[in-house]
Amino acid sequence: MVADAVRFPLLSVITWSPFIGALLIMSLARHRPLLVRLIAVVTTGISTVLSLWIYVAYDTEAAGFQFYEKLSLVPPLGISYELGVDGMSLLMVLLTSIIIFTGVFASWTVQTRSQEFYALLLALVTGVYGVFCSLDLFVLFLFYELAVLPMYLLIGIWGSSGEVRPRGIFAWAFRETGVGTKEYAAMKLTLYLLFGSAFILVGIFALYVNAGAASFSFLDLEAITFEFGVQRWVFLAFYVGFGILAGIWPLHTWSPDGHASAPTAVSMLHAGVLMKLGAYGVVRVGMGLLPEGAVDLAWLVGGIACINVVYGALSAMAQVDLKYVIAYSSVSHMGLVMLGAATLTEAGLNGSVFQMFAHGVMTGLFFALVGLVYEKAHSREIFKMGGFGAAMPGIATAFTIGGLSSLGLPATAGFVAEVLTFMGAWRSDHRWWLWPAVLGTLLTAVYVLRVVRQIFWGPPSPHFHDLVDARGPEWVAIVVLVFTLVLFGMAPGLALVPVDTATVPLLARIVSP
Amino acid sequence: MTVTSPFALEIGLGVLVLLVFLATLFARGDDRRAIGWLATIGVLVVLAGSFLVAPASTVPPALGGMFVLDGLAIFAKRLFLIATFIGLLAGLSSTDPVFARRSGEYHLLVLTSLLGMCVLASARDLILLFLAFELMSIPLYVLSGFVKRDAIAVEAALKFFLVGSVSSAVMAYGLSFVYGAAGTTSLAGVAKAFAAGSPLLVLGLLAAFAGFAFKIAAFPFHMWVPDTYEAASTPFVAWLSVAPKAAGFVALFRVYYEGAGERVVAWIPIAAGLATITMLAGNLMALPQQNTKRLLAYSGIAQIGYMLVGFAAASASGTAMVLFYLVAYVFGNMGAFLVVDAVARFEGSESTAAFRGLAQRSPLLALSMLLFLLSLGGIPFVAGFWAKLYVFWAAAAAGLYWLVLVGAILTVVALFYYLVIAKRMYIEAPERAARIRVAPTLAIALLLCVLGVVVLGVYPKPLVMAALRVATPLF
């Protein structure tokens, strides 16, 4: 640890590099769109290279938190800027890097106010990195807010409103809210997530006050065993607070609206990374600090996760707007993530973390592709489109691979995650959880294959002409994401070895508190 | 050079009031705005003078303990002076002929009210407290109806005056009970009687509480606020929305903490209840507002609710956090009102629609408004975040977790209406392309507010420590 402290502050550089990029963009690149993109590529590139580096350099033998940095901010209150990654956060940092790096390329074509767009996007990413790296709960909360707030402007200004409006009784019930528009989605998403952060804040305070140790440090709090009553309600507060971001039913409704309305890179980042941030919070902060509470409420977490899996899949089947299908599939897959965590078994928890990664990459790929399709065809309505495979073979192939990973085909990352989760469910105290999970996978196959067939491989639609395949920088996103998806499907050990070093101690605390 | 007289600041202000009075007597012509400069600079001089006063511990109480210049008093006085300085500075550039012609009256009244606030902050005796309260309030009634040919302003002033007088009467009635039960008007004596536990005393203090609640505009004593704010001139409202509220809180600390001694926890349920309904009512009623001044009026009521959360903690840290909150509120709320003033002067409309596309017309003005709104909403890296956080913290430390949860959830409601303005500024397209011109003095006042919000947001520690230092002796 001591040797680490004086080393090059890798995690700080990873975290703040995009933020510096945002400042540079705001100050230097007025009316120079190419420079904006260049700065964005370079600064996120630095983070990506360094996160690959720490991924390789992480010592899985030693395990625990590495690349540790600490800087005392407010000593009397025990607030410090304390960073460190273990096997779990390591994978999440890598995921964030992959998604933002490809996201920068996927939003190459943003025309209006692109300077502000990239600046906000990069500021947001700093928040995401910060949450994954931070070991101080208070600073974690600050980063969390930083990750949530720019979303309002990103969706409100650069988002797109859906073509499909509610009909019948729903149209009447929502007549004043402007449901389906980007303004509505932006407001809903922001308020839901801030509502969640209220619970998180109360939970953090409760831990701080009850610990009596005048420290917000995760490492200090981990050493304390809280009273059972406190554990129960604080775990519930964290579950609700972080869970909203992870899209737990019935508080998930911000997610389809938000993801469908957001511009491509923001959808990628939000569905791909920010929702994981919620699940990560439940596992790291909730289960890590409150093991007894986690055991006591596992039935709730798992039960709701089962509803998520099935409900999300059924909702996805009913959608006619392509972005909504992907958004609801996220709700369903996040259910699998939470289910894996709720099993409190090694396989399940590993599956959960692996699913976070696999789903992050997969949904990032989906949103990137949907963005490309929308840009070329100017439509998101599934049944208007058809036969795009001939005109855009690259996009079609990538979409199909993503779809296969989504339904858990062997040799894709999705398969590994699902099998591990199923194993965990079977070994847990609630064996019946397996059935909703399997049912969800079957339903996923239905809606994914339906969409793929209709849009790409079906008969050509008469509405569209002169469609072209992806080109130039757009390929970067597709290639990187597909490659990652297949690589981690073929060699899951790449991720599972470090993840295991983080989940085993976590479970050890839960089983023998 | 240090000043050891406890009355130094009041004497300074009194001299300033006389100077302004004399200047008004000798001023000629229809444009007497120069008097405004005299008052503004005078306030700045008194503010600078406040830093020459000897350390609080070395200044002896005067008038047999009625008048003290302790840490709390000096902290509060500086706050009033800063708020008044910003308010007067922003009003200097007003082009309204009524204000130009009657500038003397206007500034005389503001300064008199300020004098009342300063005395109030030092009062440790019920009679002096009540007198100071009235000295502060009566000029405010006049100022709200300053444009006396405007029927709406007169109506708002009358409403303010009637409700204010009734609440003063209730307060005096309550304080008479307190005197009856305690046999003394000094707060130290009241604290002794309170420890003995007299029901009459509690009844009296409760009645007086209603009077204070009116002054800080807590629900359900808030009904004068939206109408008065909407009708009165904006720079004055900016000041009205912060300075008298701060004074009200200082008086609350004096009477209900110093006057309760050991048994201060007795007030926790009442304060927590009042905090809850005030936050709830303020936030919910702000939701449908279309006029920015009314919106800010209701949001101000909600803000008072958050400060009451800190008051409900009934601890040194709670008091300190309310003081910090007040400072953050001074900058955030005044700033927001001043932006409304800038936009309204140019657009001739105070509705939220006037903010359409402001980010593309005047990016800096829009950014400062965004900062103020985020500060009021309690978002990290601006002052309001720490304010809310510290207040919640104090409440959590006092075991009021439910109150923290209610408050935290209601901040989400509040963010909705703040974000509606943000949406108008940043997302919607402008109707006209013209850049909004801001008068130089108003721009300086705005800059001061932005600085306050940002500096406190990035580095709140010194002020927190100062607030803790002045709050600790109260307990």
Side-chain angles (χ1 to χ4, degrees), chain A residues 74 76-77 79 113 138 141-142 145 149 152-153 156-157 183 187 190-191 194-195 198-199 201-202 205-206 208-210 216 233, chain B residues 359-360 370 378-381 385-386 389-390 392-393 396-397 401 404-405 408-409 412 415-416 419-420 422-423 426-427 461 465:
Chain A
V74 191
L77 302 176
I79 300 175
R113 296 157 82 180
F138 189 81
F141 182 78
L142 292 184
E145 298 270 297
L149 288 163
Y152 179 72
L153 293 176
I157 299 177
E183 289 86 359
M187 185 64 91
T190 314
L191 293 186
L194 290 175
F195 178 74
F199 285 88
L201 189 65
V202 174
F205 276 175
Y208 181 80
V209 173
N210 276 300
F216 281 104
W233 80 258
Chain B
Q360 288 167 59
L370 186 68
I379 298 300
F381 312 115
F385 169 72
W386 299 106
L389 189 81
Y390 287 142
F392 289 158
W393 195 324
Y401 290 112
V404 177
L405 193 63
I409 289 173
V412 180
L415 272 166
F416 174 80
L419 283 181
V420 164
K423 184 184 94 179
Y426 278 87
I427 297 178
K461 195 175 145 198
M465 292 301 165

